[in-house]
Every structure is written in C-alpha cells, then in structure tokens.
Amino acid sequence: MPNLLLELRSEEIPARMQRKAAGDLKKLVTDALVEAGLSYEGAREYWTPRRLALDIHGLTARSADVREERKGPRTDANEKAIEGFLRGAGLSSVSEAQVVSDPKKGDFYVAVISKPGRATEEIVSDIMPGIIRDFPWPKSMRWGKASSKPGALRWVRPLQSIVCTFGPEHEETTVIPFEIDGITASNITYGHRFHAPEAITVRRFDDYAANLEKAKVILDAERRKDIILHDARDIAFANGLELVEDEGLLEEVSGLVELPQVLMGSFEEDYLSIPSEIIRLTIKTNQKCFVTRASGSETLSNKFILVSNIQASDGGKEIVHGNGKVVRARLSDALHFWKRDQGNLPDLDTLTASAAKFGLDINKPLDQRMAKLDALNVTFHAKLGTQGARVARIRTLAKELADITGADAALTDRAAVLAKADLRTEAVGEFPELQGLMGRKYAVLQGENASVAAAIEDHYKPQGPSDRVPEDRVAITIALADKLDTLIGFWGIDEKPTGSKDPFGLRRAALGVVRILLERRIRLPLLETTRDGDLLSFFHDRLKVYLRDQGARHDLIDAVLTPDADDLLMVARRVEALTAFITSEDGKNLLAGTKRATQLLAAEEKKGTVIADGVSQALLKLDAEKELFTAISSASKDASDAVAGEDFRSAMEALSKLRGPVDRFFEEVLVNDEDAAIRANRLALLRLIREATGTVADFSKISG
C-alpha cells in the first residue's frame, strides 16, 4: 500500500515546542485522513530544530464509495417538511427521491445519496493548507512582504519549504503539490545549515531519512538524545569523572542540534567554592551545558560538557574556548551573588522596625533579608497583601499547627519568620528555582538550628507527585502552614481553579497538604482550620485523586467519604480497611446481602412507607430473623466501638459476622409478609442492616 511523506521545514523551532508540535502534526493529519474516509497501517512523527516530519505508511490510495439512504417524511406530509428533506438531501425535486411503502406507516420518501470515493492525493491537497494555516503553535509569527496582508500565514518561525510525496513502497512516488502563501509542496528538502545546505531530492521516508543523515542531519530525536547522553558519559569517564545527568536539559539540547557534537570545557577551580546548585543552574541556564563530578562524589568538578551543532575543523577548540569564556563570566556573577548574600545590607538603619516586628536579629544576614522583604512591602497578591503580611499569617498558623504536629514551638516560630527571607537574596533573584534551598544554606552559615534550616528548604515541598514530603516536624508544620495560608487566602478572595486553569498552583498546594497528612500520618481537622466547607470539598477532590493513584477503587472512596469528613488520614485508613474487607469472601457476600436490603428499603421509602426505628422482638417469628437480630445487635455494637477506637479492621471483622445470618435471612424469610405488622418489623430489621454497615461505609455506593 502507498506511503505518505510530509516535511515542514522552517527556521529554528524553540526546543520546548518541538515534541508537542510533531505530535500535533501527526494527530491533525491522521484524524483528517480518517475523517475523509481513508485508513492507514501506521504513522510516526519526527522533529529536529528545523523541521517537523511525518511518515504515514499503508495509506489507502482512495476513499471508498459511499451509498447512504436517508429516510424522509411521508408522501402526504406538508410542503415545508418535504422541502426541508429535499434541501438536506441535496435533491432538487421529489422525482429524484424514491417512495417506499410501509404497511404500518404508509408511503414515505427515501433519498439515496451516492458519494464516489476520492483519490488520496486530492484529499491530502485539500486538508494540508488548512492544517498548516491553523496549526496550534503556542506562539507564532508572520514574516516577509506577505505579512502585511490580512490572513497571512503564521508559523512558529518562517516556514521555508514543504515536502509531500505519495506512492507505493517500491515504485516511483508522486508529489502532491498543494500551495500555501507562495510555498508549494515538492520533493526537495535541505540538509544541515552549515555542512550540507544543498538541495536534496527525496521520494519516500527511507531515502529521505538516509539522505538527511548523509547531509549531517539526524532526524530521530531519541537517537540524538542517545548520542548526546552516551558521548557525554564517555568523555566524562575518559577524564576520570561522571556526568551529572539531567533529563530536562538532555531533551532541550537534543532540540538545539541536528548533528550533536559533544565537547568538554573547564573553568577555574576557585569557582567551586560556590554551592553546587548555583554552579549547575548557572551553566545549565546560560549555556545549556552539563556539569560533571568526581566518580561517586556529590562534589562538582571544574569540567563541563557542551553540545555543538558543528563538526569544527579544529576539533572544537574554538567552540570550547568561547563557551568557557561565557561560563566563567556567569560564574563570576554567581560568586559575587553568593558573597554579597552573606554580608550586611547597606541600609540596616531602615530595617529596625521590621526586625522588631518579627523578632529578627539584625546582625544576621538572613534576618536582614527578611526585614528587607517586609520593609519594602513586596506584594504577594494585590488582594492578599504583602509578603510580610503573609509571613505573619504563616507564623500564626504554624503556632496552632505545632500543637498538632508535635513540633518544637520556638523552632517552628523561628523557621516561620525566616522561611521567605531568601526571596531577597541575590542568588534567588537570579535563580528563583533555588528559593528555599539557598535559604537553608544561608541559615546553616549563620548557625541556625538544623530543624529550622531544613524547614526553610522543605516548606515548599512536595511540589508534585514525585517530589519528597518533609520529614522533620518543624518542616512539616511550616509546609502545612504555607500551603494552607495560600489556599485559605485565595478561597477568601474567590480566586479558585476553573477547568484546566490554576494560575496560583492551588491544586498542587492542596495535593501537597493531602500527601503530608497521609504520608506523615497527621490528624488535622481541616474544617476547623480552614473554616470553609467549599475548600474542604476541594481537599476531598485532591484526596480522591491521590488515593486512586495509590490503587484505591473510586467507589470505595465514595462509600467512605462524607461531605463533612475533615480528618483525611482517617478517611484513608477507612478506605484501606474497606478495600481489604470487600475483596474477601465474607465481604463480597455481605455486600450482596446489604445491597439487597438497601434496595428493598429504598423501594419502600420511595412509595412513602415509613420504616420503624426499632425492631419488636415479639414479632420475630422465624429462627432466621431472630438469629439476624441477635447478630446485628452484637456486630453493630462491636463495629461502633471499633470505629470509636479508630480500629477500622476490627470494625470490618465485626461486620463480617453478619454474612451468615444475612444470607440465611434472605433464603428463609419473606419480607413482604401478609401480616402488615410482621412486614413492617422485617423492614425495620433491614434498616438495622443498613445502619450497622453504615458505621463504616455507605455500602449502597459500592459496585458489585
């Protein structure tokens, strides 16, 4: 079957956009082909800094003929109905329609619509200009003389050429020459910008990829990544070092080169006095280079690894030299920041009021930065006040939470007032992603308690599902206070997440609270802390996401989670116990019996039947109902006592004793007895089943 090759070649596409753009191209094209009635065996996308490519193999040569029968109105219908039918079917008169007789419904019109299939070349020619014109780039631009005209083509960077060929695997292919804004698709592409800029004629994907490789372009991004990673490891090993691997940087760098050339540079060892995190970020952010370290050590070396897009005639010496000059200049700036942050601020006399407000030691550099943060009235949010005001709120909330987490009160207070101080350091000003981490380093340098230093770094954690959760009690307390203050504040000004939009990271903050409470086993009454039922519901949503990710069934979560449940740790423990119980044989059978009981009750309650609160033992006539009543009385008390003691497994074990009596009851007892009093009593007995199981979960919400 024929194959389709498509390439869109442009100026350099930003690395962060390439992978998604290639995926978008694949989806847009294949969806449009299928919608047009074509089918294909497989499709794969490719990308480099200067091109998006798509290989679709096993594509049908034309779409199938379509014959559709569209039923219309009766022949004696009103004129408007018949006109509407004809218009919708594309017929000019009723003479073009068929009349079909139905013994029951009479005669009615039927339109037979035939659509002949279309050649794949014609379909591709039709769909591609629209796909290119409406391509979903995050940002796009216009260029050249045509850019001033209305509706001019927009692309991420100037689009230079298009390849579009179609044909069988072992025969000649044809060009599908569609045109957009003066660019006509052809079978001509170009190789590496510097090493092979000449035109290349291609037919199908195999020779396209092979010819590009000869022209110094490695088309497969994963292969470029693999080359960079292994060459970087090898060159580090050859120098007695190991590569500090960085998947994000590797992905970015592979999107900057079509012909990766891995080289090693160096800088003066004096710069190693700068914290490793700053060195790594400086080199990564400014030069897109990797750092190295001594094998088995956490200490960085003064060697860095860069990736060039050029095979230099001098072996890369000039490239290494140029990159080294820039790295040294950036590290010189970083060293300056690092030393400045450890010194006194020049305007200490203006900070005394702020220092007094937070109990800060004006002789300590980090304390000075916190005082400066407050004195400058740096805005946190227009409706939520300054950073200083926020720190004061976190401090108050942390004091309350320390009683629950068991954290040392004095250390918690100290950590709260210093947690945001590094926002005024020059290192964090240059690299915001180092907030917290730099605060910890500066705290250690000025002799703070280890728990305080740890809390300054860890109070931002966890920042995602794979991030670690704080361990130290002081850090746990400040992390909770920070996230809860954010959530309470934004809920208070009605700035809640909507749809996929969450500009203030409130879902992440709530999930962070959930993870801390559950993974550090903390009992926190959220409703009492937040005083907002709607916010509690938001926590419930995050809890459901977390528990489902841990493997919990959604119906079991719903069975346990009530609208006012604000102790999330207890909810999680209930779900865990219920999961173990409901998958046991006793649990499965009790669930079946309980659901039968609740369904019978629901049917009666829907009729308006009033179910008695209590059971009359005098009206229990059969052994099976007497046995069930006795079993419920015992199991209900044992389960309630176990729940009160927060022993949910024992509560489930108590309920499991109901399995036999419930099964026997439904086998031997007719609930709808002719005697109204006995019937009402048996319904009351069913109500006891519902209430007994309800002590641990709402069994009606459990599927199965």
Side-chain angles (χ1 to χ4, degrees):
M1 293 178 71
N3 300 330
L4 177 69
L5 168 64
L6 179 70
E7 182 201 65
L8 304 175
R9 189 179 63 89
S10 68
E11 294 290 335
E12 275 70 9
I13 305 166
R16 67 184 184 279
M17 298 182 187
Q18 292 168 17
R19 183 181 291 272
K20 183 179 183 302
D24 287 341
L25 180 64
K26 175 183 172 181
K27 185 175 190 310
L28 289 168
V29 173
T30 55
D31 283 358
L33 294 175
V34 170
E35 187 177 346
L38 300 175
S39 63
Y40 63 96
E41 293 176 0
R44 185 177 173 187
E45 71 275 30
Y46 298 86
W47 63 93
T48 79
R50 299 182 62 216
R51 67 199 81 222
L52 302 179
L54 182 59
D55 171 32
I56 301 178
H57 55 274
L59 184 62
T60 47
R62 65 182 292 112
S63 61
D65 296 340
V66 176
R67 185 179 186 277
E68 176 191 352
E69 289 190 1
R70 187 174 301 178
K71 186 177 179 181
R74 285 167 51 99
T75 55
D76 58 357
N78 65 64
E79 198 172 315
K80 285 190 176 180
I82 294 174
E83 286 177 358
F85 160 66
L86 294 174
R87 188 165 51 250
L91 305 182
S92 57
S93 72
V94 291
S95 63
E96 296 178 3
Q98 295 180 4
V99 177
V100 178
S101 296
D102 187 307
K104 294 181 180 179
K105 299 180 180 178
D107 295 344
F108 57 89
Y109 291 117
V110 171
V112 178
I113 304 171
S114 296
K115 294 181 180 178
R118 301 168 67 204
T120 297
E121 293 94 323
E122 182 184 342
I123 293 172
V124 171
S125 183
D126 281 353
I127 67 172
M128 283 311 305
I131 288 174
I132 294 172
R133 193 173 292 281
D134 300 328
F135 201 80
W137 292 110
K139 291 184 178 179
S140 56
M141 61 181 289
R142 293 180 295 181
W143 63 93
K145 294 180 179 179
S147 64
S148 60
K149 298 177 182 177
L153 174 65
R154 300 183 68 92
W155 198 247
V156 63
R157 294 292 185 270
L159 187 62
Q160 296 177 326
S161 68
I162 300 171
V163 167
C164 189
T165 65
F166 180 69
E169 189 173 351
H170 300 296
E171 298 175 21
E172 279 305 311
T173 58
T174 60
V175 173
I176 304 178
F178 63 87
E179 186 269 341
I180 180 168
D181 274 32
I183 303 172
T184 302
S186 69
N187 60 353
I188 303 297
T189 189
Y190 297 84
H192 191 283
R193 180 188 292 277
F194 304 111
H195 293 304
E198 300 83 12
I200 302 169
T201 302
V202 299
R203 293 176 297 171
R204 57 183 60 85
F205 179 78
D206 288 346
D207 71 286
Y208 165 74
N211 284 332
L212 279 180
E213 185 131 351
K214 291 177 185 175
K216 310 297 185 182
V217 174
I218 296 173
L219 183 65
D220 189 339
E222 295 304 321
R223 186 164 161 240
R224 293 198 304 276
K225 285 175 66 173
D226 192 61
I227 290 170
I228 293 167
L229 180 60
H230 285 87
D231 285 0
R233 285 173 178 169
D234 290 347
I235 197 171
F237 181 77
N239 285 271
L241 304 168
E242 67 179 23
L243 176 72
V244 178
E245 296 186 16
D246 186 326
E247 176 59 31
L249 180 59
L250 179 61
E251 173 80 8
E252 182 177 13
V253 170
S254 72
L256 297 174
V257 296
E258 291 191 318
L259 181 69
Q261 303 294 302
V262 178
L263 304 167
M264 177 173 276
S266 65
F267 54 86
E268 287 73 16
E269 291 190 356
D270 290 350
Y271 289 122
L272 294 177
S273 63
I274 306 169
S276 295
E277 294 84 358
I278 295 181
I279 294 175
R280 184 175 178 179
L281 264 178
T282 297
I283 292 175
K284 172 183 176 178
T285 305
N286 292 295
Q287 286 303 102
K288 312 302 179 191
C289 295
F290 297 87
V291 293
T292 63
R293 60 192 169 206
S295 184
S297 171
E298 289 300 312
T299 304
L300 295 185
S301 80
N302 67 324
K303 307 287 187 182
F304 64 90
I305 290 174
L306 62 103
V307 182
S308 169
N309 192 35
I310 299 174
Q311 286 180 329
S313 57
D314 64 355
K317 291 181 182 179
E318 196 60 36
I319 295 171
V320 168
H321 176 70
N323 275 267
K325 285 177 64 177
V326 178
V327 165
R328 291 184 194 93
R330 298 302 185 210
L331 289 176
S332 178
D333 292 341
L335 181 62
H336 175 71
F337 299 149
W338 170 242
K339 290 180 177 178
R340 283 273 299 254
D341 287 337
Q342 296 173 57
N344 290 331
L345 292 172
D347 53 353
L348 291 182
D349 55 324
T350 66
L351 306 179
T352 52
S354 292
K357 185 193 304 184
F358 290 98
L360 297 165
D361 184 346
I362 204 69
N363 294 309
K364 294 184 175 181
L366 199 57
D367 292 57
Q368 294 174 22
R369 271 69 187 176
M370 178 56 222
K372 186 71 171 180
L373 185 70
D374 179 67
L376 288 174
N377 289 320
V378 176
T379 299
F380 168 62
H381 185 279
K383 295 181 180 179
L384 294 174
T386 65
Q387 287 282 9
R390 181 168 186 242
V391 169
R393 292 195 303 270
I394 292 173
R395 188 182 187 188
T396 300
L397 187 52
K399 184 178 180 181
E400 298 173 13
L401 293 174
D403 294 334
I404 295 170
T405 62
D408 180 275
L411 295 178
T412 299
D413 187 67
R414 179 65 174 160
V417 299
L418 290 180
K420 305 296 181 184
D422 68 355
L423 296 178
R424 288 305 305 167
T425 62
E426 294 193 38
V428 172
E430 180 72 11
F431 300 112
E433 54 266 64
L434 291 180
Q435 61 186 12
L437 188 147
M438 294 311 303
R440 179 176 192 162
K441 291 186 178 294
Y442 293 134
V444 169
L445 285 172
Q446 68 178 37
E448 298 296 333
N449 181 280
S451 289
V452 172
I456 293 172
E457 177 179 3
D458 289 355
H459 82 281
Y460 290 106
K461 297 183 178 298
Q463 295 196 52
S466 60
D467 197 12
R468 65 181 177 85
V469 172
E471 297 181 13
D472 184 278
R473 290 184 184 274
V474 174
I476 288 169
T477 308
I478 304 302
L480 286 172
D482 178 58
K483 292 167 179 59
L484 287 170
D485 174 74
T486 297
L487 290 159
I488 293 168
F490 282 105
W491 242 252
I493 61 173
D494 199 28
E495 287 278 5
K496 305 169 188 176
T498 56
S500 62
K501 295 181 180 178
D502 185 13
F504 303 110
L506 303 183
R507 290 189 182 95
R508 183 176 66 239
L511 186 57
V513 171
V514 169
R515 284 191 61 198
I516 292 170
L517 296 181
L518 270 54
E519 295 177 31
R520 296 295 173 248
R521 309 193 73 77
I522 295 170
R523 305 280 306 277
L524 175 63
L526 281 171
L527 192 57
E528 180 182 322
T529 304
T530 63
R531 299 177 179 83
D532 192 315
D534 184 53
L535 180 51
L536 179 61
S537 176
F538 186 69
F539 277 114
H540 286 175
D541 291 341
R542 297 305 98 200
L543 176 66
K544 290 177 182 178
V545 170
Y546 176 79
L547 292 177
R548 283 199 295 265
D549 287 346
Q550 298 299 307
R553 281 168 40 182
H554 69 89
D555 58 325
L556 302 188
I557 300 170
D558 290 340
V560 166
L561 193 58
T562 59
D564 59 348
D566 73 342
D567 187 338
L568 303 190
L569 179 60
M570 289 302 99
V571 171
R573 287 181 56 190
R574 280 176 180 260
V575 172
E576 182 183 358
L578 181 60
T579 301
F581 175 63
I582 216 68
T583 53
S584 69
E585 199 60 32
D586 282 345
K588 291 176 185 175
N589 288 324
L590 179 60
L591 172 62
T594 302
K595 289 179 83 70
R596 187 173 175 183
T598 54
Q599 286 165 1
L600 280 169
L601 282 172
E604 290 298 323
E605 288 167 340
K606 191 174 182 180
K607 295 176 188 175
T609 305
V610 178
I611 312 298
D613 289 334
V615 172
S616 171
Q617 288 183 264
L619 292 173
L620 298 175
K621 300 301 182 184
L622 302 177
D623 289 345
E625 57 184 333
K626 292 175 183 177
E627 179 191 357
L628 178 58
F629 178 73
T630 301
I632 290 175
S633 300
S634 173
S636 183
K637 181 181 183 305
D638 291 346
S640 295
D641 290 346
V643 169
E646 297 174 358
D647 184 355
F648 302 114
R649 288 193 177 275
S650 293
M652 300 297 173
E653 289 174 12
L655 290 180
S656 69
K657 296 172 184 175
L658 290 176
R659 176 215 168 158
V662 168
D663 287 350
R664 186 180 174 195
F665 176 84
F666 281 116
E667 288 171 6
E668 301 180 12
V669 178
L670 177 65
V671 175
N672 291 323
D673 194 88
E674 293 179 358
D675 187 320
I678 292 176
R679 179 171 174 274
N681 204 52
R682 288 173 180 170
L683 287 171
L685 194 54
L686 297 185
R687 181 173 185 162
L688 289 185
I689 297 175
R690 184 170 67 183
E691 290 175 351
T693 55
T695 58
V696 293
D698 184 348
F699 275 47
S700 68
K701 293 183 178 179
I702 303 175
S703 60

